[in-house]
Amino acid sequence: MKKKIAFATCVQLGLSCIEEIYRIGGTLDLLITLKDEKAKNKSGRIYLDEIANEHNAPLLKIDNINDQEVLSTLKEHQIDWLFIIGWSQIAKKDVLEGPTYGCIGMHPTLLPVGRGRAAIPWAIIKGLKETGVTMFKLDEGVDTGDVIGQGVIKLDQNTTATELYQKVDDMHITLIAKYWEEIVNNNITLTKQDDAVATEWPGRKPEDGQIFNSMTMDEAEKLVRAVTPPYPGAFYKDGDKTIRVWSAKTDKHDGDIKLSDGYLIPIDYKIEGL
């Protein structure tokens, strides 16, 4: 008998995964999202009313994933697996153990590399040749759960955050389609992460996008690509002005922003503070 699946999300990435499940002939036994008045300004915020009505799926609107009503509703619907994707609240032990078999999440790195935050900017800043998306069983740690599957994404010296963000979104959908039948038939293989090779990346703030004259051309150029949209952008302070740089190139001998070994030449930029 196929297992009963629930899906919690409040952003477009999660909705895209839900749409893919229905596209490949799957069904969901419960949808969970935030109450309409919550997180209205969240980037990518979506509402699940339409798709729930279209597929006659029960829809639970909540304040917090750890609310008692989530636990009671999972039990009421006898949910076996709960996807939690695109959800900023951390699920606690009671929720993780609420479904029969547990909860499933995704992380935009090839775990155990890059546990933590800001995975897309860090992949570019670190000059990785490949990154990816990991589907894994959630546990109480930060991105430490057993791996269900991964998809690799190649990077090159021109990859921007905008491009990588879209590829990460696409890979979420690919992994949902690839492992859906194994999940609903409870035929997945869980692989423990090798903690010996694990790395953890810290969160980043908008001010971390500042370009300094002490940077090399390589460092500055990577930073520009790493924090371009959907992130706030790299910036250079020039007196009272701030140059917000969305794309740039480098030159050893001439340019607008002096660096330790050459110059940065903004291509797409905006001057703020004039």
Side-chain angles (χ1 to χ4, degrees):
M1 187 175 71
K2 290 196 173 184
K3 302 305 174 187
K4 302 185 77 171
I5 313 293
F7 203 115
T9 191
C10 60
V11 298
Q12 180 59 49
L13 174 58
L15 177 57
S16 297
C17 291
I18 292 171
E19 290 171 340
E20 179 66 9
I21 288 170
Y22 285 119
R23 189 191 71 79
I24 62 176
T27 58
L28 290 164
D29 299 279
L30 175 65
L31 296 175
I32 300 173
T33 193
L34 288 174
K35 290 180 178 176
D36 291 352
E37 66 274 19
K38 303 277 288 186
K40 284 185 173 179
N41 297 322
K42 182 180 179 68
S43 178
R45 175 77 157 98
I46 53 85
Y47 301 85
L48 296 180
D49 303 73
E50 186 174 336
I51 199 163
N53 288 334
E54 182 181 350
H55 296 281
N56 198 28
L59 176 60
L60 176 65
K61 297 184 179 183
I62 61 174
D63 289 311
N64 192 292
I65 195 69
N66 298 297
D67 288 348
Q68 182 58 42
E69 66 176 332
V70 174
L71 297 174
S72 58
T73 307
L74 291 172
K75 186 174 182 180
E76 175 189 343
H77 289 273
Q78 300 179 307
I79 297 301
D80 294 305
W81 284 106
L82 167 62
F83 282 96
I84 304 177
I85 292 177
W87 197 275
S88 57
Q89 299 161 347
I90 304 299
K92 296 180 180 177
K93 184 177 180 181
D94 286 348
V95 172
L96 297 176
E97 296 180 352
T100 309
Y101 300 105
C103 298
I104 296 172
M106 300 257 213
H107 184 71
T109 72
L110 297 173
L111 292 173
V113 172
R115 294 171 177 170
R117 307 181 70 84
I120 290 173
W122 280 124
I124 296 172
I125 290 169
K126 291 175 179 293
L128 301 186
K129 289 184 168 43
E130 65 177 30
T131 183
V133 176
T134 300
M135 177 186 282
F136 65 107
K137 182 179 179 182
L138 295 172
D139 64 12
E140 291 185 84
V142 178
D143 306 320
T144 55
D146 294 347
V147 172
I148 296 172
Q150 295 181 316
V152 175
I153 298 170
K154 299 291 185 184
L155 288 82
D156 62 30
Q157 58 187 7
N158 298 312
T159 301
T160 67
T162 310
E163 295 163 346
L164 184 52
Y165 193 90
Q166 183 60 54
K167 289 180 179 179
V168 163
D169 278 11
D170 293 344
M171 187 57 75
H172 276 70
I173 296 167
T174 298
L175 290 176
I176 284 282
K178 183 176 181 179
Y179 291 102
W180 176 254
E181 283 301 317
E182 294 178 23
I183 292 167
V184 295
N185 291 303
N186 207 31
N187 191 34
I188 59 173
T189 299
L190 295 173
T191 304
K192 290 205 172 296
Q193 295 186 34
D194 183 356
D195 290 337
V197 296
T199 57
E200 187 167 340
W201 297 344
R204 295 183 59 84
K205 299 175 182 176
E207 51 264 40
D208 294 330
Q210 184 165 359
I211 300 165
F212 294 99
N213 299 114
S214 58
M215 289 180 166
T216 64
M217 290 189 290
D218 182 62
E219 290 170 338
E221 192 273 337
K222 282 178 180 167
L223 179 62
V224 170
R225 288 190 287 114
V227 297
T228 203
Y231 303 106
F235 63 94
Y236 177 72
K237 292 279 192 181
D238 184 11
D240 295 335
K241 297 184 300 183
T242 296
I243 305 173
R244 183 79 52 183
V245 185
W246 305 113
S247 68
K249 61 181 180 179
T250 56
D251 188 281
K252 284 187 177 180
H253 307 291
D254 192 24
D256 303 293
I257 299 174
K258 180 75 174 74
L259 301 169
S260 66
D261 58 350
Y263 294 85
L264 186 73
I265 305 170
I267 297 172
D268 183 7
Y269 65 96
K270 176 183 178 184
I271 298 177
E272 302 169 349
L274 290 177

